[in-house]
Amino acid sequence: MTSIARTLEIRTSPHINQGASVDSIMRNVVWALLPASAFAVYAFGMGGLLTLVVATGSCVLTEHLLCRVSKRQTTVGDWSIAITGLLYGLTLPPTLPLWMTAVGGVLAVSLGKFLFGGLGFNPFNPALVGRAVLQAAFPVAMTTWQDGFWAGRFTTVPTSLLALPFTKPTYDSISGATPLSAWKFDNQLAETSDLVFGLTSGSTGETSSVLILLGGLYLISRNMMSWRIPVAILSTVLVLSGALYLIGGDGYPPPLFMLFSGGLMLGAMFMATDMVGSPMTHRGVVLHGILIGTLTVVIRIWGGMPEGVMYAILVANAFVPQIDKLIQPSAYGTVRASS
Amino acid sequence: MLSLFKSNTFGHGVHPPESKEATRKLSIRQFPFAPLLHIPLTQHLGKPATPVVREGQEVARGQLIGQPEGYMSVAMHAPASGVVKKVGLMPSISGQMVEGVYLEPYPSSGQEILEGTPTEVTASKEAIVEALQGAGIVGLGGAAFPTHVKLNVPAEKPVDTAIINGVECEPYLTTDHRVMLEQQEDIFLGIRYVLKVTGAEHAIIAIEANKLDAADALANNLPPDLAAEVKVLPVKYPQGAEKMLVTALLGREVPSRGLPLDVGAICINVATTAEIGRLLPHGRGIQERVVTVTGPGVEKKGNYRIPIGTPLRFILEQVGAADDISRVFMGGPMMGPAASSLDIPIVKGTSGVVSLTERETGKVRTQPTYPCIRCGRCVDACPMFLNPSELGVLAANSAYQRMADEFHLMDCFECGSCSFVCPSNIPLVQYFRVAKSSVRKAAKAKAS
């Protein structure tokens, strides 16, 4: 019989937890983005690789330095900034001068995240804030595209990437427009199968719908992402563009083209689902998804730009506090709406 | 809400690991007397009992040592024959010192128990209510609410169903499970008393699907003249909570701040029911209870019938504790309070003694806390359909009154589901405990 003389730790219940932590969730999101990132490198070679490396590096470094400057412990370890950096890189054209990529990364983290108080407090998706700033500042560079799969892409760095700051980049070969701008300005339709497998031009990570879906399904299966948001967005886009196509005919793009072109898949799976920038309740996230889907269709069809996913998500981000105010869970034992 | 009726459970909730395997097959065993018993006079919700013994007095096992002080109070009985060493303050699980009786059992204290006046099932409602109070019976599931108050339903609120709660949804605990397997006659007799007092037409024994052996045994042995049935529910925490159980079984929703009574039901723990059937026919009082002693820090895990007042230190010495035990809590891991001292005794509401070692607690201690990332897991977990995330933000700003007025804070019964799922490791339920007590204090100050 032992005599027990240890100090007891007093903690309040519960004494057990489910085991998922913020860093493990965030790390898994990064894993889920890897197939799409690998495809970006495969399709665009050095252009894709350097864009992703500089984007991620500039974001992570900015966050680390800002923490140092404000005398806080670095928050790089929660992995959320790695997601921001990678996502930001995946939304950029593979020909973008690297100095622009770096500037956008610095602004994404400082304006989009740190200014609001860091993780958990940023109303807008930081990756999209970075991209929006670049879109406003360098509209030409942000809409100059290059076809993937060219020979020698793994050994040659596209000249435009190495342009010096504030100089006009020179492009090796100005190439085909993205499927969305081809439709918008030249009334040309891409093959749906090319869209699904990523054989078109576009931002580094948006081209292969099937790999993006794969990553999303992994997160959903591990209960680390809300399936309701992508389902709401994609079905809204499908229904709205389907209705327009049926009524308006050839003047409108077919719904499957809408679904698999541009940044919709990447945005619906990985950006609209950012937990910080989406509502808390099930009904709230469905509303959020419908809003993003509707705005995407409206901007793409009637807007001046060929692509609208980025602005749709940023606008919907702004509505989240209102949605959360409007839709609260109805407490047990009160008169309850059906939920 | 359709899904509620289809799946025969309540909305939301969580699935913690059950951790019941180590003790679920172990029969209840009698625990020896400790050299000194610490018997608090407040082991129930309400006023402390008044001591009726003095220092140096000899008492017999089962003898009354504390008289109920008014209606919201119950009697206390001597758990062993011995000598009263002192009547004074002692540590309690709440962290406060409370008044109690220190009793030194005789080294040869026998097992025979003093009998009082029996109360049969045929007695009047009033006589049974009085007998319940006199036997010191309280809810043994953990809340320790005086049973005579609970069963004495007011005439204007008729009850049709008495729910016998054998859910035992807290991980680790297997006391109710063992009682259901080993004390079926006591339970059936107890149900007769419960039906008599409450006037309910029938009883439902509610059991979760991880205790099918108990459900089968009870259903097979149910006396044909007893208006009772056994119902098996899917496993989900916190199904043992009264409101959740009423919804799961009857599809009725208890109004906010209300009681199951308000929708024609009462819930009583199955071990409490068994105690009623065991004690009332002999005029005895509670002197012991079944406790699951378990956890990674315990060597001889088991379900033990332990005398009330046995200090934790004696229990851990008897069963053998690991060298690196670091935390001991009473009850289950979701709601059980941690013990600050090993001098704290087993009381009527103690269903378990669980000990963790440095291996488990160290992991939790070093886990970082992150800001809320608004993932919504807590909203999906809360069985009361509150918004723990929003409440957490308000609590951090000390906006306690607003939490109560606009976000139903006072409906939180501290089940711990929100903290259990939180990936940011935010101590939500602890915030809410502080907020609730602050709101209660403010209301009291306003009233006086």
Side-chain angles (χ1 to χ4, degrees), chain B residues 64-290:
Chain B
L64 190 75
I65 57 171
Q67 189 108 44
E69 175 71 36
Y71 181 59
M72 263 305 274
S73 179
V74 297
M76 266 314 308
H77 301 80
S81 302
V83 180
V84 174
K85 293 310 269 188
K86 200 171 98 178
V87 178
L89 292 176
M90 54 181 59
S92 78
I93 190 68
S94 70
Q96 288 169 325
M97 299 292 275
V98 295
E99 198 182 26
V101 175
Y102 287 94
L103 178 68
E104 186 181 287
Y106 289 135
S108 58
S109 178
Q111 295 294 326
E112 70 268 38
I113 306 165
L114 213 59
E115 300 226 356
T117 331
T119 309
E120 303 293 342
V121 181
T122 46
S124 69
K125 176 183 173 178
E126 289 71 26
I128 297 177
V129 168
E130 201 176 315
L132 288 168
Q133 184 180 25
I137 297 175
V138 299
L140 300 182
F145 188 83
T147 302
H148 68 282
V149 178
K150 185 181 228 183
L151 298 188
N152 195 3
V153 295
E156 69 274 14
K157 288 194 175 163
V159 160
D160 54 45
T161 311
I163 297 170
I164 312 299
N165 186 347
V167 170
E168 202 162 49
C169 58
E170 272 270 13
Y172 284 111
L173 306 184
T174 53
T175 64
D176 290 348
H177 188 179
R178 291 315 305 181
V179 167
M180 288 191 285
L181 283 169
E182 299 178 35
Q183 287 182 254
Q184 301 187 352
E185 291 313 313
D186 294 336
I187 294 171
F188 297 142
L189 187 51
I191 291 176
R192 289 180 202 277
Y193 281 100
V194 170
L195 292 177
K196 175 74 194 268
V197 178
T198 58
E201 292 144 24
H202 73 298
I204 302 174
I205 307 174
I207 302 175
E208 279 193 344
N210 55 5
K211 294 179 274 289
L212 288 178
D213 51 344
D216 283 345
L218 281 169
N220 290 337
N221 298 335
L222 216 52
D225 66 321
L226 186 66
E229 59 178 319
V230 176
K231 271 200 182 163
V232 177
L233 299 166
V235 178
K236 187 158 77 166
Y237 180 87
Q239 195 144 242
E242 285 194 345
K243 290 180 175 179
M244 280 42 277
L245 193 52
V246 168
T247 302
L249 286 175
L250 307 175
R252 304 175 194 167
E253 197 164 297
V254 181
S256 171
R257 315 291 306 276
L259 294 171
L261 264 186
D262 298 316
V263 291
I266 67 124
C267 294
I268 180 166
N269 169 265
V270 72
T272 315
T273 313
E275 279 304 273
I276 295 173
R278 197 167 80 101
L279 300 175
L280 259 53
H282 303 282
R284 288 177 183 157
I286 293 187
Q287 330 95 39
E288 54 193 13
R289 67 152 298 150
V290 182

Side-chain angles (χ1 to χ4, degrees), chain A residues 84 87 112-113 116 120-130 132 229 233 267-268 270-280 284-285 287-293 295-296 308-325, chain B residues 373-374:
Chain A
T84 300
L87 268 181
K113 185 173 179 188
F116 289 102
F121 299 98
N122 47 303
F124 300 102
N125 188 315
L128 289 181
V129 170
I229 296 175
I233 295 176
F270 286 100
M271 293 192 226
T273 51
D274 177 10
M275 294 162 177
V276 181
S278 54
M280 304 274 303
V285 295
L287 192 60
H288 181 68
I290 293 175
L291 186 63
I292 294 174
L295 285 170
T296 302
V309 172
M310 173 180 78
Y311 290 111
I313 295 176
L314 286 173
V315 170
N317 281 159
F319 274 102
V320 165
Q322 299 309 320
I323 293 179
D324 269 342
K325 213 168 184 178
Chain B
I373 56 166
R374 303 173 31 87

Side-chain angles (χ1 to χ4, degrees), chain A:
Chain A
M1 232 149 285
T2 47
S3 133
I4 299 147
R6 276 190 67 95
T7 323
L8 288 181
E9 182 182 67
I10 313 170
R11 269 199 174 219
T12 57
S13 61
H15 303 285
I16 51 177
N17 66 34
Q18 204 168 41
S21 64
V22 166
D23 51 300
S24 71
I25 294 176
M26 298 292 175
R27 222 171 16 246
N28 275 285
V29 177
V30 173
W31 302 155
L33 282 170
L34 288 184
S37 310
F39 187 78
V41 177
Y42 173 63
F44 301 108
M46 293 302 281
L49 179 70
L50 288 176
T51 302
L52 291 185
V53 168
V54 171
T56 311
S58 63
C59 286
V60 172
L61 200 66
T62 308
E63 171 135 322
H64 183 69
L65 290 179
L66 283 171
C67 285
R68 286 283 288 275
V69 167
S70 57
K71 298 202 165 54
R72 285 204 260 166
Q73 215 188 342
T74 181
T75 47
V76 169
D78 67 27
W79 283 75
S80 68
I81 196 61
I83 302 178
T84 300
L86 200 51
L87 268 181
Y88 164 67
L90 291 172
T91 64
L92 299 177
T95 47
L96 191 72
L98 292 174
W99 73 269
M100 293 183 188
T101 306
V103 167
V106 170
L107 293 176
V109 178
S110 51
L111 288 185
K113 185 173 179 188
F114 210 80
L115 201 63
F116 289 102
L119 179 66
F121 299 98
N122 47 303
F124 300 102
N125 188 315
L128 289 181
V129 170
R131 189 182 195 280
V133 169
L134 290 188
Q135 178 98 47
F138 311 109
V140 176
M142 287 294 284
T143 49
T144 304
W145 309 97
Q146 187 177 34
D147 279 328
F149 306 105
W150 47 286
R153 62 188 186 279
F154 297 116
T155 45
T156 351
V157 179
T159 325
S160 59
L161 258 74
L162 302 175
L164 289 173
F166 308 108
T167 60
K168 193 170 185 308
T170 35
Y171 290 94
D172 304 328
S173 64
I174 306 272
S175 79
T178 63
L180 275 169
S181 50
W183 167 76
K184 183 141 206 147
F185 303 120
D186 305 321
N187 209 13
Q188 282 177 347
L189 271 181
E191 288 291 327
T192 306
S193 61
D194 288 352
L195 295 171
V196 169
F197 293 108
L199 306 179
T200 61
S201 75
S203 301
T204 52
E206 72 179 22
T207 52
S208 175
S209 300
V210 69
L211 291 178
I212 297 166
L213 267 170
L214 211 66
L217 288 178
Y218 165 74
L219 288 179
I220 288 168
S221 73
R222 298 211 55 187
N223 192 26
M224 289 174 171
M225 177 200 279
S226 159
W227 58 268
R228 290 178 177 82
I229 296 175
V231 167
I233 295 176
L234 299 178
S235 44
T236 303
V237 169
L238 205 59
V239 167
L240 270 185
S241 57
L244 287 170
Y245 187 63
L246 281 180
I247 301 165
D250 281 352
Y252 296 98
L256 280 183
F257 171 80
M258 285 287 272
L259 206 58
F260 293 110
S261 59
L264 183 62
M265 211 46 82
L266 187 65
M269 279 289 172
F270 286 100
M271 293 192 226
T273 51
D274 177 10
M275 294 162 177
V276 181
S278 54
M280 304 274 303
T281 58
H282 293 168
R283 281 178 294 155
V285 295
V286 170
L287 192 60
H288 181 68
I290 293 175
L291 186 63
I292 294 174
T294 311
L295 285 170
T296 302
V297 173
V298 168
I299 297 175
R300 277 184 180 183
I301 292 183
W302 290 292
M305 292 165 298
E307 176 57 307
V309 172
M310 173 180 78
Y311 290 111
I313 295 176
L314 286 173
V315 170
N317 281 159
F319 274 102
V320 165
Q322 299 309 320
I323 293 179
D324 269 342
K325 213 168 184 178
L326 196 73
I327 301 180
Q328 281 282 329
S330 32
Y332 176 98
T334 59
V335 184
R336 289 215 266 170
S338 60
S339 57

